[in-house]
Amino acid sequence: MKHIFHTIQHTARAATVLLLALLAAQTAWAQKTMTVIDADGLEAAFNDEDVSVINVTNNITGVGYFILNRALTINLNGHTISGDYLSFNVDPDGSLTINGGGQGGSVGNIISGYADRPAIYNNGTVTLSHVNITTN
């Protein structure tokens, strides 16, 4: 009887370890979404390697140069991101999806005042939906 109890206890420990490993793997593959309202929030979300979706809930000004080497989706929700030196540089390993539309079918805007560089410099994959891109 003691042997059976020991075997059950050992099996329960192994099952617990397996369950914890599976939960950790699922968490590692889960998308991390951040909602941003200003330039600091956008920069923090962009620089967080775990973030795969950024939801913009306000017009954002004063943003700068971003290098992207992962998959990232930016949902503008009808808002505008602008900056004098705004530029998204998508590396070969990166992909950028920008969804501009908000309620009522509105269009989002990316506006860059950086005359020497496009608002989006693409070496990877870029997908745009309902977005106006302007470089001054």
Side-chain angles (χ1 to χ4, degrees):
M1 184 75 162
K2 186 176 181 180
H3 177 69
I4 293 173
F5 178 73
H6 181 70
T7 302
I8 292 172
Q9 190 177 24
H10 185 354
T11 303
R13 283 186 195 150
T16 301
V17 170
L18 178 61
L19 179 60
L20 290 174
L22 289 172
L23 288 173
Q26 181 182 6
T27 302
W29 288 101
Q31 289 186 346
K32 181 176 178 182
T33 298
M34 284 186 72
T35 299
V36 299
I37 60 169
D38 58 20
D40 290 337
L42 180 64
E43 184 174 348
F46 206 92
N47 291 329
D48 184 338
E49 292 288 324
D50 294 330
V51 171
S52 59
V53 178
I54 298 173
N55 291 315
V56 177
T57 60
N58 197 25
N59 291 334
I60 298 176
T61 60
V63 295
Y65 183 75
F66 299 101
I67 298 173
L68 181 65
N69 56 12
R70 68 180 191 280
L72 180 67
T73 297
I74 300 174
N75 296 314
L76 292 174
N77 298 305
H79 296 289
T80 296
I81 297 176
S82 63
D84 289 340
Y85 298 100
L86 173 63
S87 185
F88 295 99
N89 185 352
V90 182
D91 283 350
D93 292 336
S95 67
L96 176 63
T97 299
I98 302 177
N99 300 312
Q103 292 181 344
S106 61
V107 174
N109 299 285
I110 301 290
I111 302 173
S112 174
Y114 197 6
D116 295 335
R117 178 175 288 278
I120 298 175
Y121 187 76
N122 183 25
N123 285 315
T125 302
V126 172
T127 304
L128 305 172
S129 175
H130 298 95
V131 180
N132 290 323
I133 306 291
T134 305
T135 302
N136 295 334

